[in-house]
């Protein structure tokens, strides 16, 4: 199920069946509360669930075969809400999907399926979206244009650029965790070094 803990330490327990989990699944959950107060949960191998604590309703988002206007992939690895109230969804094999949470419609992301193995998202100081995936980091501006491609391990002659985590610190440096170590990118003008 789901336990919601607010700052006043009020705990609200929601049974698994209320949030749409009817089967046990060993796939871990990724959880995000959006700016509208909805709770987003990865549904194991079955896509994504939106839970509305107000009316206790659930909505399901799944990958439909031969459709480009739905979730791409089924195993959700990471979630991020950007500054334009769009939900970024990284899936293990399907790449990246973007859902406008104001209209509840998926936005086509050119080349989103080429970002398979996406594991992590982070926003930088300018609102650009950092996407950590199997082959490094791709940075998109808010209009979905690629502005950087980073290969954290290229200088170490490593065979792996698998990114597992991205974090922006208080100095706006971006930390990228890979299977081969941790890398820091510092803001230098319009780019990161």
């Amino acid at each position: 199920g789901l336990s919601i803990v607010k700052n006043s330490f009020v705990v609200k327990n929601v049974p698994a069946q209320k949030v749409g989990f009817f089967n046990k699944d060993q796939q871990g959950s990724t959880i995000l509360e959006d700016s509208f107060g909805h709770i987003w949960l990865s549904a194991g191998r079955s896509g994504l669930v939106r839970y509305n604590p107000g009316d206790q309703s659930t909505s399901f988002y799944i990958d439909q075969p031969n459709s480009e206007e739905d979730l791409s992939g089924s195993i959700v690895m990471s979630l991020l809400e950007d500054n334009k109230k769009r939900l970024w969804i990284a899936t293990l094999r399907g790449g990246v999907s973007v859902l406008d949470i104001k209209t509840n419609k998926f936005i086509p992301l050119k080349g989103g399926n080429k970002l398979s193995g996406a594991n992590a998202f982070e926003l930088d100081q300018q609102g650009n979206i950092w996407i950590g995936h199997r082959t490094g980091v791709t940075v998109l501006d808010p209009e979905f244009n690629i502005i950087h491609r980073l290969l954290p391990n290229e200088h170490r002659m490593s065979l792996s650029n698998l990114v597992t985590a991205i974090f922006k610190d208080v100095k706006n440096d971006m930390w990228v965790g890979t299977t081969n170590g941790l890398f820091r990118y510092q803001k230098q003008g319009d780019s990161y070094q």
Side-chain angles (χ1 to χ4, degrees), residues 11-28:
V11 177
K12 178 181 180 181
N13 292 309
V14 182
Q17 291 78 16
K18 276 218 170 183
V19 282
F21 294 103
F22 299 105
N23 300 317
K24 288 186 178 180
D25 192 327
Q26 298 303 316
Q27 182 68 31

Side-chain angles (χ1 to χ4, degrees), residues 31-138:
I31 301 171
L32 177 132
E33 181 177 9
D34 70 23
S35 55
F36 297 105
H38 299 127
I39 309 291
W40 295 85
L41 305 135
S42 59
R45 292 171 177 83
S46 302
L48 186 64
V49 175
R50 182 185 67 199
Y51 174 70
N52 182 343
D55 63 10
Q56 300 182 354
S57 64
T58 55
S59 301
F60 294 88
Y61 300 83
I62 60 173
D63 186 9
Q64 298 285 341
N66 303 320
S67 175
E68 307 244 338
E69 297 178 6
D70 65 356
L71 182 64
S72 176
S74 59
I75 301 174
V76 176
M77 303 301 289
S78 186
L79 300 168
L80 172 87
E81 181 181 349
D82 70 11
N83 298 334
K84 294 187 173 196
K85 300 194 182 339
R86 298 178 299 202
L87 182 67
W88 291 73
I89 308 156
T91 63
L92 182 62
R93 293 180 191 94
V96 175
S97 299
V98 181
L99 178 71
D100 184 329
I101 56 178
K102 299 180 303 278
T103 64
N104 201 33
K105 301 241 187 252
F106 281 91
I107 301 168
L109 179 61
K110 184 178 177 184
N113 60 348
K114 293 183 179 162
L115 298 170
S116 67
N119 290 309
F121 291 121
E122 185 63 275
L123 284 175
D124 68 16
Q125 187 178 16
Q126 288 74 37
N128 299 317
I129 298 90
W130 288 53
I131 304 168
H133 48 83
R134 223 178 254 143
T135 59
V137 177
T138 299

